Every structure is written in structure tokens, then in C-alpha cells.
Amino acid sequence: AVNQELNEKEEYITNLDLATGDGDHWANLHMGFTKLTEEKERLEALDLSSELKEIGKIMMAVIGGSSGVLWQCLPARLQSDEG
């Protein structure tokens, strides 16, 4: 669902990023969420804590840079709230 929404908002997200950055935010998100979609079955088989860790690792590995670090932090924060 998130990946589909991102695809529908490509131009909007890119234009927002172009106003303040280099315009690559949509492409980075697209790569990350596409990889999560590809890994969906494997991720769903994990317990919640492990799934959140893996999501963070995947986002960091695929997106990289400062955005990758931020997207890695979100699942980690959700994990800390879970416990």
C-alpha cells in the first residue's frame, strides 16, 4: 500500500525535494519500499521485533546516506515502543 501511494505521488514528492534538496528523495524511497515489497513474505514470517530490525536494515542498505539512516531509525523507534 505504501509503495503504491509513493508511486502515485512521484511528481509531488520529487518537486517538494527539488525545492529544498537534490530531488532524489522519491527515487530513494521507491527503491527502499520496492525492496520491502519484494521481501514481504520473509518479513511477515518474523516476530515483530525481528521484522522491525530487518526493515531498518533493508532501508539503510538500499537507500543509504542520511535518508537511509532516518528510515532505519523509524522501525527501531517502533521496536523500542513495542517493548
Side-chain angles (χ1 to χ4, degrees), residues 9 19 23 32-33 37 41-42 44 54 60 65 81:
K9 303 290 185 186
F33 281 97
T37 301
E41 286 186 32
R42 183 179 69 82
E44 288 177 338
E54 275 301 301
M60 180 60 199
D81 286 348

Side-chain angles (χ1 to χ4, degrees), residues 5-42:
E5 185 72 20
L6 282 172
N7 288 332
E8 292 171 4
K9 303 290 185 186
E10 175 183 359
E11 184 176 348
Y12 176 74
I13 294 168
T14 299
N15 287 336
L16 282 176
D17 190 37
L18 282 170
T20 59
D22 56 8
D24 68 344
H25 194 63
W26 178 85
N28 291 332
L29 289 177
H30 177 70
M31 288 187 302
F33 281 97
T34 296
K35 183 65 173 174
L36 290 178
T37 301
E38 292 169 1
E39 297 283 336
K40 182 180 176 184
E41 286 186 32
R42 183 179 69 82

